[in-house]
Amino acid sequence: MDISTARIDKHATTPHVIFSIPEIIDNIMCLATSSSRAQAARVSQHWSSLSLGYIWRDLPSILPLLDLLSPLVTGFNRWGFSTDIDFQDWDRFEQYARRVRNLRHNDSWPLRGTTAEISDETFSVFASRRREGPILPHLRLIRWAANDPKALLQLLPFATATVTTLDIRCGADAPLACATLFRNLPRRFTVLHTFKFYLLGDNTEWLPSLAKFISLQPNLVDVILPRSFSTSKAVIKALAALPSLRQCSIYTANVYCEPHQNASQFEWEKDEFPLLQRLHLDAPVTTVVEAVKKERREKLRDLIIDVRSAYSSDQLRSLVTGLASFCPNLSVISLYLVPPVPSAQITFGSICPLLQLRLTYLWLTSHAPLPVAESDVAEMGRAWPDMTSLSLCRDPLHSSEGQGVTLQALEALLEQIPMLQMLGVYIAKDAVSVTSGSRDAFVNLRSLDFGTSPAFPKTHMLRVQIYLSRICSEAVVISATRTRRHIELIQTSLSNQNTYMKRGEFWNEVRLGVEMIQDEKAQEKAHLIEEIGQLMKVNADLFGQLEEKQVRQQLTDSHDRM
């Protein structure tokens, strides 16, 4: 509404005028709580329309919608309608359905404190008696989580051409339900740009239906597929032909089977993936090298590579060289080099070609720690001045106490790359001679993760704490965590659990000690500021007295001259 032409009652008070402006009410409702919006809906018809729009904009389940038609009741752990549905019920339903923009359905969501599944008969009645046209005409996002194949198919009546984001999660192996779902989804979403699909199990009978569905969505920009199956060649070709695709994930092997057993072929031909910027690729080193080296990938910015089969030093070097030569605009790289059998160890020399790239994010995971010398730190600083996140094999599968990053090199690393916000390192255990920090805390650093770094002797803990308190600001979170990949692949023997538990306890004590030292510093600083403030106040009083005396003297001198 144009405020300048709005008809405002001349007898209305200023608050009434202000709260009749839709833009102001809209901003208030955007920040209000659910209970406040419900109260606002009772103020006036104008307020009711705006507040109900926010109340029904995001739904956690389809149950509130079904409850509008007829109050739902439970029986035998199933939801069912308590009365027959008539014409007036659909009128009330449509008044609220048109307000829904985001539907996040979970079949375990409780209604009025009760969790139950929707009975087949209830949903059949709803689907068969609904009026023509889309049920939710203005729907933009669907996030559908189902643990039962039948519940997965209940998504179909709600899928409309206006949906821009489709996120489907199925907690069961349901090949027939998946095939039916993809065959019956709208053949062409007019504005669908994000498609995410998660599925447990390894049955691939539904992959042809998925490939057909993807090929009919020309506006897809972002596609994430489940890791529980190998991306078939038909699906890869359908993805490669999408003209607007900028992000996708491709897995050439079923992660639940032997690494890369029956791996699907991934080929990146000249005219495929024309606008791809982010790629998550699970494939052998040789497959990645062959795909990358076919031509320059100028658009590619973000690359995640999972390697689950053995590789040699030459293959690793060829991979890194190919990335540096054929993907010149890469700024984000994640390399998970963790095949089941230990392969060639990553050295700084093997990743040196990456220094040619202007990286802002680098995440390396391998079987063994990455040895880093002071000269290596200087090279990284020159090559990556804008780096914000760096993880150098912080949780290797096989510990090596003599390798990694020394604590002395840790400070040099932060000095050479001052923009770092997140740093993950594996600390070499032989670096026990720790000196105090030589400079103030690095203000940009926010997270320092020591992964599975070994514990220092207890006699050195205080020195480590003092050292870290000098280089870490109060905003830094110090931790020692393991990635999910490490937890999945490492042997879960009692000895291993005890080892990682002791290491975690040591670094947790280090964190607590650093926080205590920083608290003491903060208190000293606050006390010093308070003392300075008192001194300034005393000086101000003395200065004021002196100034008053000087003014009086000037008046006396002037009077004498007169």
Side-chain angles (χ1 to χ4, degrees):
M1 179 177 68
D2 188 353
I3 298 176
S4 62
T5 59
R7 297 181 61 186
I8 300 175
D9 187 355
K10 63 180 180 180
H11 300 292
T13 62
T14 300
H16 285 88
V17 172
I18 292 176
F19 291 121
S20 66
I21 301 174
E23 290 82 359
I24 294 179
I25 303 301
D26 189 64
N27 288 331
I28 293 174
M29 295 303 170
C30 180
L31 301 174
T33 61
S34 298
S35 59
S36 298
R37 291 168 181 167
Q39 292 174 357
R42 303 184 182 97
V43 173
S44 67
Q45 185 175 1
H46 180 59
W47 279 40
S48 177
S49 177
L50 291 173
S51 57
L52 288 176
Y54 276 99
I55 292 173
W56 286 86
R57 180 186 297 270
D58 298 287
L59 284 186
S61 170
I62 62 173
L63 292 178
L65 286 170
L66 300 182
D67 202 41
L68 287 171
L69 291 170
S70 172
L72 293 174
V73 294
T74 54
F76 301 101
N77 201 29
R78 295 285 190 277
W79 287 112
F81 292 126
S82 58
T83 60
D84 290 334
I85 303 173
D86 58 25
F87 188 81
Q88 293 180 345
D89 295 328
W90 281 108
D91 287 341
R92 182 174 64 253
F93 178 90
E94 290 178 351
Q95 289 179 8
Y96 293 93
R98 62 185 174 82
R99 305 177 190 273
V100 179
R101 299 295 184 274
N102 304 319
L103 177 60
R104 296 176 171 89
H105 175 72
N106 190 321
D107 58 5
S108 60
W109 185 81
L111 177 66
R112 294 189 286 272
T114 302
T115 301
E117 297 178 358
I118 302 172
S119 68
D120 296 341
E121 180 182 357
T122 300
F123 200 82
S124 243
V125 169
F126 168 75
S128 60
R129 296 185 183 180
R130 68 185 180 93
R131 294 176 176 175
E132 293 184 3
I135 296 177
L136 305 175
H138 303 297
L139 191 63
R140 290 293 185 184
L141 178 146
I142 297 179
R143 182 169 293 163
W144 198 274
N147 296 314
D148 183 82
K150 293 181 180 179
L152 183 66
L153 295 177
Q154 291 174 356
L155 156 68
L156 287 171
F158 299 94
T160 63
T162 60
V163 172
T164 61
T165 300
L166 181 61
D167 187 339
I168 304 173
R169 302 163 186 261
C170 185
D173 189 2
L176 293 179
C178 290
T180 303
L181 176 68
F182 291 122
R183 281 197 304 267
N184 291 279
L185 278 173
R187 305 303 291 172
R188 187 181 293 274
F189 285 98
T190 56
V191 288
L192 185 66
H193 61 70
T194 300
F195 173 59
K196 299 180 181 181
F197 183 48
Y198 302 87
L199 174 71
L200 293 179
D202 55 2
N203 194 309
T204 59
E205 296 177 1
W206 49 273
L207 283 174
S209 300
L210 174 63
K212 182 67 173 177
F213 170 75
I214 291 176
S215 67
L216 295 174
Q217 314 306 323
N219 297 315
L220 275 176
V221 174
D222 185 357
V223 177
I224 304 296
L225 299 177
R227 303 197 60 186
S228 57
F229 69 96
S230 301
T231 309
S232 68
K233 191 168 184 179
V235 173
I236 294 176
K237 291 299 181 183
L239 291 171
L242 293 175
S244 303
L245 188 66
R246 284 170 171 77
Q247 173 178 328
C248 74
S249 56
I250 295 176
Y251 308 106
T252 66
N254 183 334
V255 298
Y256 295 107
C257 298
E258 292 298 322
H260 304 299
Q261 181 181 2
N262 300 323
S264 56
Q265 187 67 28
F266 172 68
E267 298 175 353
W268 194 342
E269 301 297 341
K270 183 176 181 180
D271 297 327
E272 295 180 334
F273 302 101
L275 299 179
L276 193 64
Q277 296 179 2
R278 188 177 192 272
L279 173 63
H280 185 174
L281 181 60
D282 185 334
V285 170
T286 52
T287 300
V288 180
V289 172
E290 291 175 2
V292 168
K293 286 190 172 183
K294 286 188 176 180
E295 68 170 309
R296 287 172 67 85
R297 314 294 178 183
E298 302 281 354
K299 300 289 185 180
L300 200 60
R301 300 288 190 276
D302 187 338
L303 182 62
I304 302 173
I305 298 177
D306 276 319
V307 175
R308 299 175 183 273
S309 60
Y311 57 87
S312 64
S313 299
D314 292 340
Q315 290 175 335
L316 177 59
R317 181 79 179 188
S318 180
L319 168 63
V320 176
T321 303
L323 295 180
S325 302
F326 291 88
C327 306
N329 295 318
L330 276 175
S331 60
V332 176
I333 296 179
S334 299
L335 296 179
Y336 297 96
L337 307 174
V338 283
V341 179
S343 299
Q345 181 180 355
I346 296 182
T347 63
F348 189 79
S350 62
I351 66 169
C352 265
L354 296 181
L355 296 174
Q356 303 173 31
L357 301 173
R358 193 80 169 183
L359 297 181
T360 59
Y361 181 104
L362 177 62
W363 191 290
L364 298 176
T365 300
S366 180
H367 279 279
L370 175 65
V372 179
E374 292 186 8
S375 58
D376 302 333
V377 171
E379 289 190 52
M380 286 190 286
R382 289 191 293 269
W384 305 323
D386 302 322
M387 178 77 71
T388 58
S389 297
L390 179 63
S391 182
L392 302 174
C393 304
R394 65 178 176 84
D395 59 342
L397 300 184
H398 302 286
S399 301
S400 180
E401 297 181 352
Q403 294 181 345
V405 180
T406 64
L407 279 176
Q408 291 90 334
L410 181 63
E411 183 176 3
L413 191 61
L414 293 171
E415 287 179 346
Q416 294 293 331
I417 314 177
M419 301 301 293
L420 272 180
Q421 298 178 12
M422 181 274 168
L423 178 61
V425 291
Y426 182 90
I427 298 297
K429 189 176 181 180
D430 58 355
V432 294
S433 56
V434 179
T435 58
S436 60
S438 59
R439 55 160 293 164
D440 295 334
F442 295 90
V443 295
N444 291 319
L445 189 64
R446 291 294 178 270
S447 174
L448 182 57
D449 196 333
F450 291 106
T452 57
S453 299
F456 283 75
K458 288 287 186 180
T459 54
H460 293 81
M461 179 177 290
L462 181 58
R463 301 173 69 181
V464 174
Q465 291 172 340
I466 295 174
Y467 175 80
L468 292 178
S469 68
R470 298 283 183 89
I471 65 176
C472 295
S473 67
E474 296 178 4
V476 176
V477 177
I478 298 176
S479 60
T481 61
R482 291 193 290 160
T483 58
R484 185 180 64 180
R485 186 69 51 80
H486 185 281
I487 296 173
E488 290 175 352
L489 296 179
I490 200 69
Q491 294 181 357
T492 57
S493 64
L494 183 61
S495 60
N496 281 330
Q497 292 178 8
N498 290 336
T499 298
Y500 293 121
M501 186 178 298
K502 290 179 180 178
R503 294 181 179 184
E505 290 174 353
F506 171 81
W507 290 107
N508 186 54
E509 289 185 39
V510 169
R511 176 186 62 81
L512 294 175
V514 170
E515 291 177 354
M516 186 179 300
I517 294 173
Q518 289 174 338
D519 288 342
E520 292 177 356
K521 287 182 179 179
Q523 293 176 5
E524 291 176 0
K525 185 177 180 180
H527 182 66
L528 181 60
I529 292 174
E530 183 179 356
E531 289 182 347
I532 293 174
Q534 292 176 354
L535 289 173
M536 291 178 65
K537 184 178 179 181
V538 171
N539 291 335
D541 292 341
L542 292 174
F543 181 78
Q545 295 175 5
L546 178 61
E547 187 178 29
E548 183 180 357
K549 184 177 180 180
Q550 290 175 348
V551 170
R552 287 179 179 177
Q553 184 64 41
Q554 290 176 359
L555 290 173
T556 303
D557 293 344
S558 299
H559 180 72
D560 292 342
R561 286 195 295 271
M562 292 174 62

